[in-house]
Amino acid sequence: MRIDGGFLTHSEVFHKSKEYLLKELDRLDMQKLKEKLSLEQFDDVMTRKALLLEKIEQKPIAYHLDTIV
């Protein structure tokens, strides 16, 4: 899964996109990542995940694609 930072530049987010991103972030197997990454890399992933979750939660929801700027 790749989460593009461009998503965070929009003033609103389509409600299905928001649901999808939250679901996919929740599905990340953090234990597997912890086993495969260095401690520094894992800490970076955790920090980025927390920041992304915070930013996604703050985004207003758009129910029509044509309203997203």
Side-chain angles (χ1 to χ4, degrees):
M1 174 184 72
R2 180 173 179 246
I3 299 176
D4 192 338
F7 166 82
L8 297 177
T9 63
H10 296 291
S11 59
E12 295 180 314
V13 60
F14 186 57
H15 71 101
K16 291 290 185 184
S17 298
K18 187 172 184 172
E19 290 172 13
Y20 173 79
L21 286 171
L22 291 172
K23 184 175 109 181
E24 290 301 308
L25 282 170
D26 189 49
R27 284 184 42 194
L28 288 176
D29 189 336
M30 300 313 285
Q31 185 59 39
K32 281 186 182 177
L33 284 175
K34 191 174 187 177
E35 292 169 6
K36 295 194 180 274
L37 300 175
S38 70
L39 182 57
E40 183 179 336
Q41 290 171 321
F42 182 74
D43 287 345
D44 186 52
V45 168
M46 293 299 293
T47 300
R48 289 171 184 252
K49 180 182 176 185
L51 179 62
L52 190 55
L53 284 170
E54 181 182 321
K55 296 286 186 186
I56 291 170
E57 290 293 341
Q58 292 173 357
K59 288 286 178 187
I61 296 174
Y63 290 94
H64 301 285
L65 286 174
D66 60 345
T67 65
I68 298 176
V69 181

